[in-house]
Amino acid sequence: MPRKVVQGPIRDKEKTKQKLLAAVGKILRVKGYSGLKVSKIAAVAGFDKKLIYEYFGSTDKLIDEYIKSQDYWSRVNQENVEVDISDGGKELSKMAILSQFENLKKNKELQKIILWGLSENKAILKKIADEREEMGEMLFSNIVDPYFGEEDAVRYRAITALLVSGAYYLNLYTGYNAQKFCGIDLKTEEGRQEIEKAIVEIIDFAYSKKEK
């Protein structure tokens, strides 16, 4: 008699976890963060809510894992990016910020997560923000700071802060409220290319001052 193959979530834990993570994304996209309740997540995924506790430990840990899977800077930290850093991080800065600018445009769930982080004080969101800072500090202290030196390194950090936050804001603003910013149509490829060229020019200018 052939052995019976057991089907279902216990048999395929990873597939079940991915469905639960996908359910978080779907709810976030349609209902927003207020809809992220354990019963709702389980219902959308099509599983008993006890599986959330069994596979993730808690709803917060499930949401935490989902946010990490979507957060651009968390993923950068996990990927092996091959970029020559002998230039003090100039090309790495361009690649990272330009990719962030493009990534956020496409990722509506990440836009929701960022808005959530701006509107609510949640431990789960603070943890992600802290991890972003830790990753950024590692890049600055190991690559950028030694190149610029103490005084100029602080100034370049400030420039990076403006570029990163600007990439966030322009995508969120045009995604939710408007099409143009400073007369530039950010819903067209031509408009976005102007922003991208400006990012590159600012980084080149910051490094050119050091190179003189």
Side-chain angles (χ1 to χ4, degrees):
M1 182 177 180
R3 184 178 177 183
K4 184 178 179 181
V5 178
V6 179
Q7 301 293 336
I10 295 176
R11 177 71 176 176
D12 196 348
K13 178 179 177 179
E14 190 56 36
K15 188 174 181 180
T16 302
K17 288 178 69 175
Q18 291 307 313
K19 285 186 177 180
L20 288 166
L21 289 164
V24 172
K26 183 175 181 179
I27 294 168
L28 192 61
R29 186 168 59 251
V30 176
K31 297 289 186 181
Y33 41 81
S34 61
L36 294 175
K37 309 298 184 185
V38 61
S39 298
K40 183 66 176 177
I41 295 170
V44 170
F47 299 123
D48 191 299
K49 64 183 180 182
K50 69 181 181 182
L51 289 176
I52 293 175
Y53 301 104
E54 182 178 341
Y55 291 160
F56 295 94
S58 68
T59 310
D60 279 351
K61 288 181 180 178
L62 165 61
I63 296 171
D64 182 35
E65 187 165 327
Y66 176 78
I67 293 173
K68 285 183 180 179
S69 74
Q70 298 299 309
D71 183 66
Y72 172 73
W73 294 104
S74 295
R75 295 208 314 275
V76 166
N77 192 33
Q78 296 168 2
E79 294 173 356
N80 294 319
V81 181
E82 295 185 5
V83 179
D84 183 6
I85 60 173
S86 63
D87 60 2
K90 180 166 71 172
E91 292 307 314
L92 178 61
S93 295
K94 293 177 186 177
M95 181 215 67
I97 298 173
L98 290 172
S99 296
Q100 177 215 359
F101 183 59
E102 186 60 26
N103 178 267
L104 187 56
K105 173 197 172 186
K106 298 174 181 177
N107 194 328
K108 300 301 181 183
E109 290 84 357
L110 181 55
Q111 291 181 20
K112 294 277 189 179
I113 291 167
I114 293 168
L115 289 171
W116 186 14
L118 292 172
S119 60
E120 284 197 34
N121 180 17
K122 292 279 190 182
I124 188 172
L125 297 170
K126 184 178 185 304
K127 180 182 176 185
I128 294 294
D130 289 344
E131 288 175 355
R132 285 193 203 115
E133 277 297 302
E134 289 173 8
M135 194 274 289
E137 182 60 35
M138 181 179 67
L139 295 175
F140 280 123
S141 60
N142 291 325
I143 302 171
V144 177
D145 292 357
Y147 178 83
F148 278 97
E150 187 174 348
E151 184 177 343
D152 290 336
V154 174
R155 187 171 299 112
Y156 186 70
R157 285 179 180 232
I159 290 170
T160 303
L162 289 171
L163 292 176
V164 170
S165 59
Y168 278 138
Y169 184 77
L170 289 174
N171 275 298
L172 294 173
Y173 185 81
T174 56
Y176 284 88
N177 291 312
Q179 184 160 328
K180 293 184 178 181
F181 195 91
C182 290
I184 298 175
D185 190 343
L186 291 173
K187 292 192 176 180
T188 67
E189 191 59 34
E190 293 77 14
R192 293 186 68 83
Q193 285 176 0
E194 288 301 319
I195 299 298
E196 290 170 357
K197 285 189 286 187
I199 290 170
V200 170
E201 287 179 8
I202 291 168
I203 294 172
D204 280 339
F205 177 73
Y207 275 83
S208 70
K209 290 185 68 178
K210 181 64 179 175
E211 291 164 358
K212 290 179 180 179

